[in-house]
Amino acid sequence: MYMLFIVADTICALNISVGGGGYVAGSWSSLAPAVQSGYAAVSTDAGHRSNDSGDATSWALVSDGNVNQYLLLDFASRSIHDMTILGKAGCSTGGRQGMMEAQRYPDDYDGIVAAAPAINWNDFTPAQQWPFTVMNNEDYAPPQCEFDAVNAAAIAACDALDGLEDGIIAAPGLCSFDPASLIGNTYSCESDGSQRRFSNKTATVVKKIWQGPVTANGSSAWYGILPGTNFSSLAPTETFGNGTTVPQPFEISDSWYRNFLFKDPNYKTANISYAQFQALTLTSLTRSTTRLWGLADNLIMPNGTMHYYDQVAALDPAVGDFYRVFFTPGVGHCGGGSGPVPVDILMALRRWVENGTAPGLLEAASTYPINGTIRRQNLCPYPSISKYAGYGDPAKAASFACDSSF
């Protein structure tokens, strides 16, 4: 998970909007905690009353072959602004909604917290479909226990690159683990206790998934998931009783392809070739009339957030005065994992807005005990990193300090 702070230079209003996830624009169940904390809270359904966050079929097309541009625009930006005029952005789609507010309607909020934001939608949504396309084109779908074994090997190889062996790849940019090194080795499948052997196809599939989609000339089209990240979200597979394993699509990206690119909710995306995928990636960027805006995140590639921040920094070197990004090592999409999660983001944002005290550090703690202890670590604003000092209790925040690199 990655946290983003955006703040304007006005006084803070204690109103909170709650975003959604996937294709769902609002989250009514999340309003109660905000109200309980003393904030006015509001959410929106963006004009399409669907509870299915993974599939936009119920509202995507106004007729056969025609995208409902009005509802797509509502989902992208308009409903968020209208909701604000009437009334804390959330995580994932909620994070994207917060970022969209900051870009298009900067006067709507005095401060925004956007967690694991689904920005760069037209880029990363096709990239989410990449693992499914890879497995279909390579004619091999690894069982999830094989994916898990690859990740275990990657963590073993890259865990200590940050100076601390804690079961987390905190320096994924330094991890050069090659899955081809596993070819011929045996691994144990925890689901049935069987002993299996890594094949060439396993290495090819994993390497392509980590690499991410490429253009026709072989250059990167977008980012892949990082080594050590759970495969089961974007590369789900199903193993049958006869031992056959087949790939399954990720519902949100699959719906994007069927409904918004092919404009056919029944299109068989399993038939997409590498060449078609490359062309469709360009289609996602150019044909859609509405442009949507997103270290162990298993759904949204963290490198996309780095890319976004770097673009803002190139336009305004004083970016840290109004926008800060904090990466949380070992944390999955909107939470989960064994890494430290920010403790009180909203209060940190209030201090920034109301008192002008920008967060130099962000207090974080693991959500459950690790070896019987809650791990605490202060997170540092990107591009700096939170680095273990090399001594001291790794469960205490005092053992970490901000640095420029590992």
Side-chain angles (χ1 to χ4, degrees), residues 258-338:
R258 290 184 286 104
N259 290 298
F260 296 108
L261 299 186
F262 287 105
K263 303 177 185 178
D264 177 1
N266 298 312
Y267 190 88
K268 303 300 182 184
T269 55
N271 298 328
I272 296 174
S273 66
Y274 283 139
Q276 286 177 300
F277 187 94
Q278 292 160 354
L280 287 165
T281 298
L282 293 176
T283 300
S284 182
L285 295 175
T286 59
R287 182 181 296 176
S288 302
T289 60
T290 303
R291 175 78 179 177
L292 307 182
W293 282 88
L295 281 168
D297 196 312
N298 49 308
L299 292 180
I300 301 174
M301 301 74 179
N303 301 68
T305 298
M306 295 180 188
H307 174 72
Y308 181 92
Y309 180 90
D310 291 343
Q311 286 184 310
V312 176
L315 293 172
D316 189 348
V319 58
D321 293 344
F322 61 90
Y323 174 36
R324 298 194 176 192
V325 178
F326 295 83
F327 287 93
T328 58
V331 178
H333 184 66
C334 296
S338 58

Coordinates of all heavy atoms in Angstrom, one line a residue, residues 258-338:
R258 N -13.6 -5.9 -21.9 CA -14.9 -6.3 -22.5 C -15.8 -5.2 -22.8 O -16.4 -5.0 -23.9 CB -15.6 -7.4 -21.7 CG -14.9 -8.7 -21.6 CD -15.6 -9.8 -20.8 NE -15.6 -9.5 -19.4 CZ -16.6 -9.0 -18.7 NH1 -17.7 -8.7 -19.2 NH2 -16.4 -8.8 -17.4
N259 N -16.0 -4.3 -21.8 CA -17.0 -3.3 -21.9 C -16.6 -2.0 -22.5 O -17.3 -1.4 -23.3 CB -17.6 -3.0 -20.5 CG -18.4 -4.1 -19.9 OD1 -19.4 -4.5 -20.5 ND2 -17.9 -4.7 -18.8
F260 N -15.3 -1.6 -22.3 CA -14.9 -0.3 -22.7 C -14.0 -0.3 -23.9 O -13.9 0.7 -24.7 CB -14.2 0.5 -21.6 CG -15.2 0.8 -20.5 CD1 -15.1 0.2 -19.2 CD2 -16.2 1.8 -20.6 CE1 -15.9 0.4 -18.2 CE2 -17.1 2.0 -19.6 CZ -16.9 1.4 -18.4
L261 N -13.3 -1.4 -24.2 CA -12.4 -1.5 -25.3 C -13.1 -2.3 -26.5 O -13.2 -1.8 -27.6 CB -11.1 -2.1 -24.9 CG -10.3 -1.4 -23.9 CD1 -8.9 -2.1 -23.7 CD2 -10.1 0.1 -24.2
F262 N -13.6 -3.5 -26.2 CA -14.3 -4.2 -27.2 C -15.8 -3.8 -27.3 O -16.4 -4.1 -28.3 CB -14.2 -5.7 -26.9 CG -12.8 -6.3 -27.2 CD1 -12.0 -6.6 -26.1 CD2 -12.4 -6.5 -28.5 CE1 -10.7 -7.1 -26.4 CE2 -11.1 -7.0 -28.7 CZ -10.3 -7.3 -27.7
K263 N -16.3 -3.2 -26.2 CA -17.7 -2.8 -26.2 C -18.6 -4.0 -26.4 O -19.7 -3.9 -27.0 CB -18.0 -1.7 -27.2 CG -17.1 -0.5 -27.1 CD -17.3 0.5 -28.1 CE -16.4 1.7 -28.0 NZ -16.5 2.7 -29.1
D264 N -18.2 -5.1 -25.8 CA -19.0 -6.4 -25.9 C -18.8 -7.1 -24.6 O -17.7 -7.7 -24.4 CB -18.4 -7.2 -27.1 CG -19.1 -8.6 -27.2 OD1 -20.0 -8.8 -26.4 OD2 -18.8 -9.3 -28.1
P265 N -19.8 -7.1 -23.7 CA -19.6 -7.7 -22.4 C -19.4 -9.2 -22.5 O -19.0 -9.8 -21.5 CB -21.0 -7.4 -21.7 CG -21.9 -7.1 -22.8 CD -21.1 -6.5 -23.9
N266 N -19.6 -9.9 -23.6 CA -19.4 -11.3 -23.8 C -18.1 -11.7 -24.5 O -17.9 -12.9 -24.8 CB -20.6 -11.9 -24.5 CG -21.9 -11.7 -23.8 OD1 -22.0 -12.0 -22.6 ND2 -22.9 -11.3 -24.5
Y267 N -17.3 -10.7 -24.8 CA -16.0 -11.0 -25.5 C -15.1 -11.9 -24.7 O -15.0 -11.8 -23.5 CB -15.3 -9.7 -25.8 CG -14.1 -9.9 -26.7 CD1 -14.3 -9.9 -28.1 CD2 -12.8 -10.2 -26.3 CE1 -13.2 -10.1 -29.0 CE2 -11.8 -10.4 -27.1 CZ -12.0 -10.4 -28.5 OH -10.9 -10.6 -29.3
K268 N -14.5 -12.9 -25.4 CA -13.6 -13.9 -24.7 C -12.2 -13.3 -24.7 O -11.4 -13.5 -25.6 CB -13.7 -15.2 -25.5 CG -15.1 -15.8 -25.6 CD -15.7 -16.1 -24.3 CE -17.1 -16.7 -24.4 NZ -17.8 -16.9 -23.1
T269 N -11.8 -12.7 -23.6 CA -10.5 -12.1 -23.5 C -9.4 -13.1 -23.4 O -8.2 -12.8 -23.6 CB -10.5 -11.2 -22.2 OG1 -10.8 -12.0 -21.1 CG2 -11.4 -10.1 -22.3
A270 N -9.7 -14.4 -23.2 CA -8.6 -15.4 -23.1 C -8.0 -15.6 -24.5 O -6.9 -16.1 -24.6 CB -9.2 -16.8 -22.7
N271 N -8.6 -15.1 -25.6 CA -8.1 -15.3 -26.9 C -7.2 -14.2 -27.4 O -6.7 -14.2 -28.5 CB -9.3 -15.4 -27.9 CG -10.2 -16.6 -27.6 OD1 -9.8 -17.6 -27.2 ND2 -11.5 -16.4 -27.9
I272 N -6.9 -13.2 -26.5 CA -6.1 -12.0 -26.9 C -4.6 -12.5 -27.0 O -4.1 -13.0 -26.1 CB -6.2 -10.9 -25.9 CG1 -7.7 -10.4 -25.8 CG2 -5.3 -9.8 -26.2 CD1 -8.0 -9.4 -24.8
S273 N -4.1 -12.2 -28.2 CA -2.6 -12.5 -28.4 C -1.8 -11.4 -27.9 O -2.3 -10.3 -27.5 CB -2.4 -12.7 -29.9 OG -2.6 -11.5 -30.6
Y274 N -0.5 -11.6 -27.8 CA 0.5 -10.6 -27.4 C 0.3 -9.3 -28.3 O 0.3 -8.2 -27.9 CB 1.9 -11.1 -27.5 CG 2.3 -12.0 -26.3 CD1 3.1 -13.1 -26.5 CD2 1.9 -11.7 -25.0 CE1 3.5 -13.9 -25.4 CE2 2.3 -12.5 -23.9 CZ 3.0 -13.6 -24.1 OH 3.4 -14.4 -23.1
A275 N 0.2 -9.6 -29.6 CA 0.1 -8.5 -30.6 C -1.1 -7.7 -30.4 O -1.2 -6.4 -30.4 CB 0.2 -9.0 -32.0
Q276 N -2.3 -8.4 -30.1 CA -3.5 -7.7 -29.9 C -3.4 -6.9 -28.5 O -4.0 -5.8 -28.4 CB -4.7 -8.7 -29.8 CG -5.1 -9.3 -31.1 CD -6.2 -10.4 -30.9 OE1 -5.9 -11.4 -30.2 NE2 -7.3 -10.1 -31.5
F277 N -2.8 -7.5 -27.6 CA -2.7 -6.8 -26.3 C -1.9 -5.5 -26.4 O -2.4 -4.5 -25.9 CB -1.9 -7.7 -25.3 CG -1.9 -7.1 -23.9 CD1 -2.8 -7.5 -22.9 CD2 -0.9 -6.2 -23.5 CE1 -2.8 -7.0 -21.6 CE2 -0.9 -5.7 -22.2 CZ -1.8 -6.1 -21.3
Q278 N -0.9 -5.5 -27.2 CA -0.1 -4.2 -27.4 C -1.0 -3.2 -28.1 O -1.0 -2.0 -27.7 CB 1.1 -4.6 -28.3 CG 2.2 -5.4 -27.6 CD 3.1 -6.1 -28.5 OE1 3.0 -6.0 -29.7 NE2 4.1 -6.7 -27.9
A279 N -1.8 -3.6 -29.1 CA -2.7 -2.7 -29.8 C -3.8 -2.2 -28.9 O -4.1 -1.0 -28.9 CB -3.3 -3.3 -31.0
L280 N -4.3 -3.0 -28.0 CA -5.3 -2.6 -27.1 C -4.9 -1.7 -26.0 O -5.6 -0.9 -25.5 CB -6.0 -3.9 -26.5 CG -6.8 -4.7 -27.4 CD1 -7.1 -6.1 -26.8 CD2 -8.2 -4.0 -27.7
T281 N -3.6 -1.8 -25.6 CA -3.0 -0.9 -24.7 C -3.0 0.5 -25.2 O -3.4 1.5 -24.5 CB -1.6 -1.3 -24.3 OG1 -1.6 -2.6 -23.7 CG2 -1.0 -0.3 -23.3
L282 N -2.7 0.7 -26.5 CA -2.8 2.0 -27.2 C -4.2 2.4 -27.3 O -4.5 3.6 -27.1 CB -2.1 1.9 -28.5 CG -0.6 1.6 -28.6 CD1 -0.1 1.5 -30.0 CD2 0.1 2.8 -27.9
T283 N -5.1 1.5 -27.5 CA -6.5 1.9 -27.6 C -7.0 2.4 -26.3 O -7.8 3.4 -26.3 CB -7.4 0.6 -28.0 OG1 -6.9 0.1 -29.3 CG2 -8.9 1.0 -28.1
S284 N -6.6 1.8 -25.2 CA -7.0 2.3 -23.9 C -6.6 3.7 -23.6 O -7.3 4.4 -23.0 CB -6.5 1.3 -22.8 OG -6.9 1.7 -21.5
L285 N -5.5 4.1 -24.2 CA -4.9 5.4 -24.0 C -5.6 6.4 -24.9 O -5.7 7.6 -24.6 CB -3.4 5.4 -24.2 CG -2.6 4.6 -23.2 CD1 -1.1 4.6 -23.6 CD2 -2.7 5.1 -21.8
T286 N -6.0 6.0 -26.1 CA -6.4 7.0 -27.1 C -7.9 7.0 -27.5 O -8.4 8.0 -27.8 CB -5.6 6.7 -28.5 OG1 -5.9 5.4 -28.9 CG2 -4.1 6.9 -28.3
R287 N -8.5 5.8 -27.4 CA -9.9 5.8 -27.8 C -10.9 6.3 -26.7 O -11.9 6.9 -27.0 CB -10.3 4.4 -28.2 CG -11.8 4.3 -28.7 CD -12.1 2.8 -29.1 NE -11.3 2.3 -30.2 CZ -11.4 1.1 -30.6 NH1 -12.2 0.2 -30.0 NH2 -10.6 0.7 -31.6
S288 N -10.6 6.0 -25.5 CA -11.5 6.4 -24.4 C -11.6 7.9 -24.3 O -10.6 8.6 -24.2 CB -11.1 5.8 -23.1 OG -11.0 4.4 -23.1
T289 N -12.8 8.5 -24.3 CA -12.9 9.9 -24.3 C -12.7 10.5 -22.9 O -12.4 11.7 -22.7 CB -14.3 10.3 -24.8 OG1 -15.3 9.8 -23.9 CG2 -14.5 9.9 -26.2
T290 N -12.8 9.6 -21.9 CA -12.5 10.1 -20.5 C -11.2 9.5 -20.0 O -11.1 8.3 -19.9 CB -13.7 9.7 -19.6 OG1 -14.9 10.2 -20.1 CG2 -13.5 10.2 -18.2
R291 N -10.3 10.3 -19.6 CA -9.0 9.9 -19.1 C -9.1 9.7 -17.6 O -9.3 10.7 -16.9 CB -7.9 10.9 -19.5 CG -6.5 10.6 -18.9 CD -5.8 9.6 -19.7 NE -4.5 9.3 -19.2 CZ -3.7 8.4 -19.6 NH1 -4.0 7.7 -20.7 NH2 -2.5 8.2 -19.1
L292 N -8.9 8.5 -17.1 CA -9.0 8.3 -15.6 C -7.6 8.3 -15.0 O -6.7 7.8 -15.6 CB -9.7 6.9 -15.4 CG -11.0 6.7 -16.1 CD1 -11.6 5.4 -15.6 CD2 -12.0 7.8 -15.7
W293 N -7.6 8.8 -13.7 CA -6.4 8.8 -12.9 C -6.5 7.9 -11.7 O -7.4 8.1 -10.9 CB -6.0 10.2 -12.5 CG -5.4 10.9 -13.6 CD1 -6.1 11.6 -14.6 CD2 -4.1 11.0 -14.0 NE1 -5.3 12.1 -15.5 CE2 -4.0 11.8 -15.2 CE3 -2.9 10.5 -13.5 CZ2 -2.8 12.1 -15.8 CZ3 -1.7 10.8 -14.1 CH2 -1.7 11.6 -15.3
G294 N -3.2 5.4 -10.1 CA -2.8 5.0 -9.7 C -1.9 4.9 -10.4 O -2.0 5.1 -11.3
L295 N 4.5 -1.5 -1.0 CA 5.5 -2.0 -1.9 C 5.3 -3.4 -2.2 O 5.8 -4.0 -3.2 CB 6.9 -1.7 -1.3 CG 7.4 -0.2 -1.4 CD1 8.5 0.1 -0.6 CD2 7.6 0.2 -2.8
A296 N 4.2 -3.7 -1.7 CA 3.8 -5.0 -2.0 C 2.3 -5.0 -2.4 O 1.6 -5.9 -2.1 CB 3.9 -5.9 -0.7
D297 N 1.9 -4.0 -3.0 CA 0.6 -3.8 -3.5 C 0.3 -4.9 -4.6 O 1.0 -4.9 -5.6 CB 0.3 -2.4 -4.1 CG -1.2 -2.1 -4.2 OD1 -1.9 -3.0 -4.8 OD2 -1.6 -1.0 -3.8
N298 N -0.7 -5.7 -4.4 CA -1.0 -6.8 -5.2 C -2.0 -6.5 -6.3 O -2.3 -7.3 -7.2 CB -1.5 -8.0 -4.4 CG -2.6 -7.6 -3.5 OD1 -2.5 -6.7 -2.7 ND2 -3.7 -8.3 -3.5
L299 N -2.5 -5.2 -6.4 CA -3.4 -4.8 -7.4 C -3.0 -3.7 -8.3 O -3.2 -3.6 -9.5 CB -4.8 -4.5 -6.8 CG -5.5 -5.7 -6.1 CD1 -6.9 -5.1 -5.6 CD2 -5.8 -6.8 -7.2
I300 N -2.3 -2.7 -7.6 CA -1.9 -1.5 -8.3 C -0.4 -1.3 -8.2 O 0.1 -1.3 -7.1 CB -2.7 -0.2 -7.8 CG1 -4.2 -0.4 -7.9 CG2 -2.2 1.0 -8.5 CD1 -5.0 0.7 -7.3
M301 N 0.3 -1.2 -9.3 CA 1.7 -1.2 -9.3 C 2.3 0.1 -8.6 O 2.0 1.2 -9.1 CB 2.3 -1.3 -10.7 CG 1.8 -2.5 -11.5 SD 0.1 -2.4 -12.0 CE -0.1 -4.0 -12.9
P302 N 3.1 0.0 -7.5 CA 3.6 1.1 -6.8 C 4.5 2.0 -7.7 O 4.5 3.2 -7.5 CB 4.5 0.5 -5.7 CG 3.9 -0.8 -5.5 CD 3.4 -1.3 -6.9
N303 N 5.1 1.4 -8.7 CA 6.0 2.2 -9.6 C 5.2 3.3 -10.3 O 5.7 4.4 -10.7 CB 6.7 1.4 -10.7 CG 7.5 0.3 -10.0 OD1 7.0 -0.6 -9.4 ND2 8.8 0.4 -10.2
G304 N 3.9 3.1 -10.6 CA 3.0 4.1 -11.2 C 2.9 5.3 -10.4 O 2.8 6.4 -10.9
T305 N 2.8 5.1 -9.0 CA 2.7 6.3 -8.1 C 4.1 7.0 -8.1 O 4.1 8.3 -8.1 CB 2.4 5.8 -6.7 OG1 1.1 5.2 -6.8 CG2 2.3 7.0 -5.8
M306 N 5.2 6.3 -8.1 CA 6.5 6.9 -8.2 C 6.6 7.8 -9.5 O 7.0 8.9 -9.5 CB 7.6 5.9 -8.2 CG 7.7 5.1 -7.0 SD 9.1 3.9 -7.1 CE 8.8 2.9 -5.6
H307 N 6.1 7.2 -10.6 CA 6.1 7.9 -11.9 C 5.3 9.2 -11.8 O 5.7 10.2 -12.3 CB 5.6 7.0 -13.0 CG 5.4 7.6 -14.3 ND1 6.5 7.9 -15.1 CD2 4.3 7.9 -15.0 CE1 6.0 8.4 -16.3 NE2 4.7 8.5 -16.2
Y308 N 4.1 9.1 -11.2 CA 3.2 10.3 -11.1 C 3.9 11.4 -10.3 O 3.9 12.5 -10.7 CB 1.9 9.8 -10.5 CG 0.9 10.9 -10.3 CD1 0.0 11.2 -11.3 CD2 0.9 11.8 -9.2 CE1 -1.0 12.2 -11.2 CE2 0.0 12.8 -9.0 CZ -0.9 13.0 -10.0 OH -1.8 14.0 -9.9
Y309 N 4.5 11.0 -9.1 CA 5.1 12.0 -8.3 C 6.3 12.6 -9.0 O 6.5 13.8 -8.9 CB 5.6 11.3 -7.0 CG 6.3 12.2 -6.0 CD1 5.6 12.9 -5.0 CD2 7.7 12.5 -6.1 CE1 6.2 13.8 -4.2 CE2 8.3 13.4 -5.2 CZ 7.5 14.0 -4.3 OH 8.2 14.9 -3.4
D310 N 7.1 11.8 -9.7 CA 8.3 12.3 -10.4 C 7.8 13.3 -11.4 O 8.5 14.3 -11.7 CB 9.1 11.2 -11.0 CG 9.8 10.3 -10.0 OD1 9.9 10.8 -8.8 OD2 10.2 9.2 -10.3
Q311 N 6.7 13.1 -12.1 CA 6.2 14.0 -13.1 C 5.8 15.4 -12.5 O 6.1 16.4 -13.0 CB 5.0 13.4 -13.8 CG 5.3 12.3 -14.8 CD 4.1 11.8 -15.6 OE1 3.1 11.5 -15.0 NE2 4.2 11.8 -16.9
V312 N 5.1 15.3 -11.3 CA 4.8 16.5 -10.6 C 6.0 17.3 -10.1 O 6.1 18.5 -10.3 CB 3.9 16.2 -9.4 CG1 3.5 17.4 -8.6 CG2 2.6 15.5 -9.8
A313 N 7.0 16.5 -9.6 CA 8.2 17.1 -9.1 C 9.0 17.8 -10.3 O 9.6 18.9 -10.1 CB 9.1 16.1 -8.5
A314 N 8.9 17.3 -11.5 CA 9.6 17.9 -12.6 C 8.9 19.2 -13.0 O 9.6 20.1 -13.5 CB 9.5 16.9 -13.8
L315 N 7.6 19.3 -12.8 CA 6.9 20.5 -13.1 C 7.1 21.6 -11.9 O 7.1 22.8 -12.2 CB 5.4 20.3 -13.2 CG 5.0 19.4 -14.5 CD1 3.5 19.1 -14.4 CD2 5.3 20.2 -15.8
D316 N 7.2 21.1 -10.7 CA 7.3 22.0 -9.6 C 8.3 21.4 -8.5 O 7.9 20.5 -7.8 CB 5.9 22.2 -8.9 CG 5.9 23.3 -7.9 OD1 7.0 23.7 -7.5 OD2 4.8 23.7 -7.4
P317 N 9.5 22.0 -8.5 CA 10.5 21.5 -7.6 C 10.1 21.6 -6.1 O 10.6 20.9 -5.2 CB 11.8 22.3 -7.9 CG 11.6 22.8 -9.3 CD 10.1 23.0 -9.4
A318 N 9.1 22.5 -5.8 CA 8.6 22.7 -4.5 C 7.5 21.7 -4.1 O 6.6 22.0 -3.3 CB 8.2 24.1 -4.3
V319 N 7.4 20.6 -4.8 CA 6.3 19.7 -4.7 C 6.1 19.2 -3.2 O 5.0 19.0 -2.8 CB 6.6 18.4 -5.6 CG1 7.9 17.7 -5.2 CG2 5.4 17.4 -5.5
G320 N 7.2 19.1 -2.4 CA 7.0 18.7 -1.0 C 6.3 19.7 -0.2 O 5.9 19.3 0.9
D321 N 6.1 20.9 -0.7 CA 5.3 21.9 0.1 C 3.8 21.6 0.1 O 3.1 22.0 1.0 CB 5.5 23.3 -0.5 CG 6.9 23.8 -0.3 OD1 7.7 23.2 0.5 OD2 7.3 24.8 -1.0
F322 N 3.3 20.7 -0.9 CA 1.9 20.5 -0.9 C 1.6 19.0 -1.2 O 0.4 18.7 -1.2 CB 1.3 21.4 -2.0 CG 1.8 21.1 -3.4 CD1 1.3 20.2 -4.3 CD2 2.9 21.9 -3.9 CE1 1.8 20.0 -5.5 CE2 3.4 21.6 -5.2 CZ 2.9 20.7 -6.0
Y323 N 2.6 18.2 -1.5 CA 2.2 16.8 -1.9 C 3.4 15.9 -1.4 O 4.5 16.1 -1.7 CB 2.1 16.8 -3.4 CG 1.9 15.4 -4.1 CD1 1.2 14.4 -3.5 CD2 2.5 15.2 -5.3 CE1 1.1 13.2 -4.1 CE2 2.3 14.0 -6.0 CZ 1.6 13.0 -5.3 OH 1.5 11.8 -6.0
R324 N 3.0 14.9 -0.6 CA 4.1 13.9 -0.2 C 3.5 12.5 -0.3 O 2.3 12.2 -0.2 CB 4.4 14.2 1.3 CG 5.0 15.6 1.5 CD 5.7 15.8 2.8 NE 6.3 17.2 2.8 CZ 7.2 17.6 3.7 NH1 7.6 16.7 4.7 NH2 7.7 18.8 3.6
V325 N 4.5 11.6 -0.6 CA 4.2 10.2 -0.8 C 4.9 9.4 0.2 O 6.1 9.6 0.4 CB 4.5 9.8 -2.2 CG1 4.3 8.3 -2.4 CG2 3.8 10.6 -3.3
F326 N 4.2 8.4 0.8 CA 4.9 7.5 1.8 C 4.6 6.1 1.3 O 3.5 5.7 1.2 CB 4.3 7.7 3.2 CG 4.6 9.1 3.7 CD1 3.8 10.2 3.4 CD2 5.7 9.2 4.6 CE1 4.1 11.4 4.0 CE2 6.0 10.5 5.1 CZ 5.2 11.6 4.8
F327 N 5.7 5.3 1.1 CA 5.5 3.9 0.8 C 5.7 3.0 2.0 O 6.5 3.3 2.9 CB 6.6 3.5 -0.2 CG 6.4 4.1 -1.6 CD1 6.9 5.3 -2.0 CD2 5.6 3.4 -2.5 CE1 6.7 5.8 -3.3 CE2 5.3 3.9 -3.8 CZ 5.9 5.1 -4.1
T328 N 4.9 2.0 2.1 CA 4.8 1.1 3.3 C 5.3 -0.2 2.9 O 4.6 -1.0 2.2 CB 3.4 1.0 3.8 OG1 2.5 0.5 2.8 CG2 2.9 2.4 4.3
P329 N 6.6 -0.6 3.2 CA 7.1 -1.9 2.8 C 6.4 -3.1 3.4 O 6.0 -3.1 4.6 CB 8.6 -1.8 3.4 CG 8.5 -0.8 4.5 CD 7.5 0.2 4.1
G330 N 6.1 -4.1 2.6 CA 5.5 -5.3 3.1 C 4.0 -5.2 3.3 O 3.4 -6.1 3.8
V331 N 3.4 -4.1 2.8 CA 1.9 -4.0 2.9 C 1.2 -4.1 1.6 O 1.7 -3.6 0.6 CB 1.6 -2.6 3.5 CG1 0.1 -2.4 3.7 CG2 2.3 -2.4 4.9
G332 N 0.1 -4.8 1.6 CA -0.6 -5.1 0.4 C -1.5 -4.0 0.0 O -1.5 -2.9 0.5
H333 N -2.4 -4.2 -0.9 CA -3.4 -3.2 -1.4 C -4.4 -2.8 -0.4 O -5.2 -3.7 0.1 CB -4.1 -3.8 -2.7 CG -5.0 -2.8 -3.3 ND1 -4.5 -1.6 -3.9 CD2 -6.3 -2.7 -3.4 CE1 -5.5 -0.9 -4.4 NE2 -6.7 -1.6 -4.1
C334 N -4.3 -1.6 0.1 CA -5.2 -1.1 1.1 C -5.1 -1.8 2.4 O -6.0 -1.9 3.2 CB -6.7 -1.2 0.6 SG -7.0 -0.1 -0.8
G335 N -3.9 -2.4 2.7 CA -3.7 -3.1 3.9 C -3.3 -4.5 3.7 O -3.1 -5.0 2.6
G336 N -3.1 -5.2 4.8 CA -2.7 -6.6 4.7 C -1.2 -6.7 4.7 O -0.5 -5.8 4.4
G337 N -0.7 -7.9 4.9 CA 0.8 -8.1 4.9 C 1.3 -7.9 6.3 O 0.6 -7.5 7.3
S338 N 2.6 -8.1 6.4 CA 3.3 -8.0 7.7 C 4.0 -6.7 8.0 O 4.7 -6.5 9.0 CB 4.3 -9.1 7.9 OG 5.3 -9.1 6.8

